[in-house]
Amino acid sequence: MSSTMKRKLMAGLAVLILAAGIAVAVVRRGDAQGRTGDANLLARLVSAEAEGEPYQGMVAVAAVMLNRVKDSKFPNTTSGVVFQPGAFESVSNGLIWQRSPSNQAVSAARDALNGYDPTYGCLFFWNPSKPVSGWIWSRSIAVRIGKHVFAR
Amino acid sequence: MADEVSNAGDNADARGEGGGEGGGRGFGETEGGMAGAGRTAANWPAALLVILLIASLVFGYAQWSARRRLEVAVGNQYFNSFFDLLGNIDNVRVALSKSLVSGSPRLRVGALSDVWREASNAQANLNSLPVTHKVLARTSAFLTQVGDFAFATARKVANQQMMSDEDWDRLVKMKEQSEDLAKGLSDMETEASAGRVNWVRVAEQAKKEVPAKPGSKSTPEAVTDGFTKVDESVQHFPTLIYDGPFSDHIEKREPVGVTGTAIDATQAIEIARKFVPFDASAHTGKIQAEVDSKIPAYRVSLDAPAKSGKPDAVVDVTKVGGHVVLMNITRDIDPKKIDLEAAVTRASDFLSKVGMTSMKPTFASEVGNAAVIPLVFVQNGVHVYPDMVKVKVAMDNGDILSYDALGFLTSHHARKLPKPVIEADEAKELLSPALTVAAPPRLTVIPVETVATPEAFCWEFRGTSFGEDFFVYINAVNGTEEKVLQLIKTSEGSLTM
């Protein structure tokens, strides 16, 4: 293979890779724009924190976010609650940006925004089989859904 | 990019020696001459190691300095929040003092608005610091309530109402408390001003949740400890009862709609089985959990027998009276085939079937191939908004997907509705000239955030202004404009009734 042919091949390959990259970026942007503001952010958090949980458990996680917004002890905006330092492991480690929310997570976020709250006003949730700080057990537990317990 | 790569390849071809790849080929070619080959063989692994070492050092240094730059950038954001917080709290203190000193309503409203704005900013800045929620919860709550209370008081003053002695005392107490807050933060300010606070380490420490111990200064522990002290100084603040969404009286409201006698688990399962909008006689019913909230309930799961083609359902039944609070049926929804009107009819029919009479739909909106329809209780033609039930209908075949009666059970009771003192025509005179009324007014009961009554008896006007839809509520007893709501149009369809 002559060196000019090789050069052409390499250049062609580079253009192809670049084009694919742009295409992926465009598709992802379109995806994000389809859903708006709070619903999208909530869906991402639900996806990262409660994937694999029963549907009620997903709605419950979104409902906890919204209950925090309404509570004086927490930030008063959805993004304030989601990005409160150290509040959610999936936000601290960037997991919430690593995948698009599933349809179920989007639907769960919308249900919660419409007022459906299977936790009846809870402010905390955690997975009791994972290590959690001791003080969290001093909260009063309202209900258990799937792997998570929900508390006020 | 591509050019460079192919050039490098060409060079290696031409030389056949030197560099890692070229070296291997050179070795093969000079197989005959042992002496020359031996020297090359001994040297090239060493050269490779040196190159690798230098490369890794360069790489390591680049990574380390990139990380440092990021740490400084993140730390600067935290410094920004912290110093903003100090400024906000100082401004809250000053504005509270001014609100006490101002003799005229005009200046007092101005000062109280400042309190509201500064407290709200302080709360946002406080919550963006990398300290655990537990350490800041009370301070955060205090700041929210100061802002909320200042707003409620400003509204009162603007309404030409007098501030009560209680309001006065509260403002004085809040001023003292904000002085304590500022004092508590000043120690930390000294450390922060000297640049001795490493916020990244504070964040790491917060993650480990090590209990803060009083110790040497300028350690992460000292920062957390400082905030703990500040938070403790707030903890003795009395319960705040005033007209506002964050007032403690909102929390304390007990549900009034849960009436009847206690039921047991078996009865709860039977109630759930009868309630769901399909024949669930073959479903396996069991108590999935017990909900311990203001409305204690059994959470009943109804699991469909295999291959029945029916969905599963989860139904919450109150332990007292056996009322259904929530029902959720999970299934995928196919593309929509029915319209919003048809979905509303389905929702109304379902409510009559389960014995909820006098419920009227007021609104319907489309959310991802489903319709969400709030229905309100109507008493003698008056729409009672707090007594609300929400029904979700699948728009592929009109099945009921969920039912939410939390609002209804929280507020429904036998009400004595007064006669309107102000007639519809008189109420209409009180509307803004910018509103074009689009529908005949109707009498409603709406939820409000006042201490005395959680509800207000109002005329509801639906209208448009600058191309947007609004609902305006005028109190039918005293003519106060209680609320203005804007109807936000979503990309999907909606229907107002």
Side-chain angles (χ1 to χ4, degrees), chain B residues 463-484:
Chain B
T464 56
S465 182
F466 302 105
E468 286 171 322
D469 293 332
F470 290 91
F471 288 95
V472 180
Y473 295 88
I474 307 280
N475 195 309
V477 178
N478 58 25
T480 311
E481 192 174 33
E482 296 280 359
K483 245 177 203 170
V484 176

Side-chain angles (χ1 to χ4, degrees), chain B residues 291-352:
Chain B
V291 183
D292 179 20
S293 73
K294 273 188 187 165
I295 302 183
Y298 292 108
R299 179 157 290 169
V300 180
S301 68
L302 295 169
D303 295 328
K307 287 179 195 151
S308 68
K310 282 182 179 158
D312 299 343
V314 179
V315 185
D316 289 7
V317 183
T318 61
K319 290 185 178 177
V320 172
H323 306 277
V324 173
V325 200
L326 298 176
M327 174 192 73
N328 186 60
I329 296 163
T330 314
R331 71 160 169 88
D332 295 328
I333 311 169
D334 295 324
K336 67 172 178 180
K337 287 204 193 77
I338 66 168
D339 60 10
L340 271 177
E341 275 95 350
V344 169
T345 313
R346 291 294 192 122
S348 296
D349 290 350
F350 175 68
L351 286 197
S352 346

Side-chain angles (χ1 to χ4, degrees), chain B residues 57-112:
Chain B
L57 279 177
V58 169
F59 178 76
Y61 177 77
Q63 290 295 302
W64 176 82
S65 62
R67 189 196 133 105
R68 242 198 89 61
R69 289 176 74 88
L70 273 179
E71 270 187 14
V72 170
V74 169
N76 286 345
Q77 287 290 326
Y78 289 136
F79 271 120
N80 187 1
S81 297
F82 179 73
F83 286 114
D84 274 353
L85 171 69
L86 295 177
N88 294 144
I89 286 176
D90 212 39
N91 292 342
V92 166
R93 185 181 60 78
V94 171
L96 278 169
S97 306
K98 280 187 187 169
S99 74
L100 291 168
V101 173
S102 305
S104 67
R106 188 173 58 88
L107 284 184
R108 181 165 291 160
V109 168
L112 287 170

Side-chain angles (χ1 to χ4, degrees), chain A residues 62-73:
Chain A
V64 165
M65 301 297 108
L66 297 173
N67 291 336
R68 285 190 173 193
V69 175
K70 280 183 258 168
D71 191 279
S72 64
K73 296 186 284 299

